[in-house]
Amino acid sequence: MELDLNLLKDKEPSKNRSYHLPAFHFYHVQKATKENPIWLHLGAGNIFRAFLAAEQQHLLNQGIEKKGIIVAEGYDFELIDVLKAHDGLSINVTLKENGEVEKEVIASTTEYLKMLPESEDYVRLKEVVTAPSLQLISMTITEKGYSIVDKTGEITETVKHDFENGPKEPNSYLGKLTALLHERYLAGKWPLALVSLDNMSHNGEKLQKSVSRYVEEWHQRGFVETGFVDYMQDSDQVAFPWSMIDKITPRPDQSVQEMLEEDGFEHIHPVETAKHSFVAPYVNGEETQYLVMEDTFPNGRPELEKTGIIFADRAMVNAVETMKVTTCLNPLHTALAIFGCLLGFDSIHQEMKEVDLVRLIRRLGYKEGLPVVKDPKIISPRKFIDEVIEVRLPNPFIPDTPQRIATDTSQKLAIRFGETVKAYLHAPDLDVKELKAIPLVYAGWLRYLTGIDDSNENFAVSPDPLLKDLQPFFKGFVLGKPFLNESIKELLKDTSIFGVDLYQAGLAEKVLELFDQMNEGKGAIRQTIRQTIIE
């Protein structure tokens, strides 16, 4: 049995297992979407298909919405090839904490396009973006997709090319987006919302700043009109809503593949692309999900509030995002990622059986995080942490790994821990030297960069843009021997990594002390965690 549109005709994808099928006529929705598109999404990754596409499908099933979503990919074009091979259908597999599995065939995506200038797909993209009916362009392109400069602060070669050559044949993701927005301006100055759904604080602001830079550069070079600058700066015409999104959607898991194959599906194995993305015609994720969006959509929007998605003002979105990213989830995840790699774990839920690691994240969340959280009211911070520690992270059916979460850690520390350190420094009733879990995580990251685990075995350090710069600091590291150099001391002053100068914050000596303790021999990392975190 193949996953393709013939499946929707059969209405019975398996004789033995239950699947939720679309309750709408796919070809009618496809036709309506093509003629008058309302939603274009950039980034064909897992969270889009497991969350956003699923929620739009639920609105289609109820007859609340009549249009689907068009998806474009501007980075890894192999994703499109894999998904189009199945007529754009996906199987959304929800792995519940109680062991139940829910399987749904997602058909709300009606087109998959490649953002390749001068291609037929790009011509079609221009039609989509210039349609007066288009209400929003959302995106999940990862935090790196918004970057204009490299680690040294210099403009990247790709972005520099786009600045110098204008909107004709852009190479970067945001260059292509900005060029398409120029087409929309020329077609009629239609209003639009540009919605970042990437997991980062102030995502709408970051998107706006990056896009605005392209607009400014092109205007200075005479590629675009002053009117286009005015159009992009007018929030009544082009809005950049902020959002907070939260749902764990790991890479496609083999056990899920085997389950679907037992149900009769063929040719659904995951593919690793040349750019090291993992994609399959199915997605697997947890049941828990949150999406809070700033309700700023100049041309209207789908009625997503009827699916449980929350719309609020910017201050409320920011409070929820800050709560999640700086205290209640992301720091806990990063702590488990670092120590999971060092202690030889290959799954998050297995780590949650370790008393010492649970004590660590409980202190990180409840003891050190909650005192500086601004309560967003619509979601209780304490209940959020309760759910993370008691339900989400221990879920044995979510195949998430510390190795995946440890990716790009150098880019995460400033927000996930640095903001809490800053809050302690500025609060008259809090003492930064009372922090134990955060310095322990910092020390653990230094130990992680050695590439030597707690059993004195080499392990594969996850990808990170700063690895080539940082790992030489630890050259010559030998477990059981004192190890410290001036480069490591200088590293602790790097505000771009830690968010603060750890010497000025009064934490550097504690971090180095813990780092030394972790280097004493086999088992020293586990022992250091146990001695440091005492409830």
Side-chain angles (χ1 to χ4, degrees), residues 445-446 449-451 466-478 482-494 497-498 515 519:
W445 183 61
L446 298 181
L449 289 171
T450 69
L466 296 186
L467 276 187
K468 291 182 179 179
D469 297 320
L470 296 175
Q471 284 201 293
F473 297 171
F474 301 88
K475 186 177 181 180
F477 174 85
V478 177
F483 184 85
L484 188 61
N485 57 46
E486 290 303 316
S487 294
I488 295 176
K489 291 181 179 180
E490 286 300 312
L491 173 61
L492 299 185
K493 299 178 182 178
D494 193 331
I497 291 178
F498 296 101
F515 177 61
N519 300 339

Side-chain angles (χ1 to χ4, degrees), residues 145-165:
Y146 300 81
S147 181
I148 287 176
V149 299
D150 60 22
K151 61 190 176 186
T152 67
E154 296 295 320
I155 296 173
T156 67
E157 289 301 316
T158 302
V159 174
K160 183 179 179 182
H161 168 274
D162 289 355
F163 284 174
E164 294 175 351
N165 292 278

Side-chain angles (χ1 to χ4, degrees), residues 12 183 226 248 257 271 332 349-350 357 414 439 471-472 474 480 482 486:
E12 186 55 57
E183 295 286 342
T226 301
I248 299 173
Q257 174 192 342
V271 172
L332 282 60
H349 69 82
Q350 286 293 338
L357 293 179
Q471 284 201 293
F474 301 88
E486 290 303 316

Side-chain angles (χ1 to χ4, degrees), residues 217-253:
E217 293 286 343
W218 288 351
H219 181 245
Q220 289 175 6
R221 290 172 169 81
F223 291 120
V224 300
E225 310 83 346
T226 301
F228 180 54
V229 178
D230 296 338
Y231 168 71
M232 292 299 299
Q233 292 178 345
D234 185 350
S235 60
D236 291 331
Q237 290 291 100
V238 181
F240 293 83
W242 294 17
S243 71
M244 185 286 285
I245 190 166
D246 182 24
K247 183 181 178 76
I248 299 173
T249 54
R251 67 178 53 168
D253 186 67

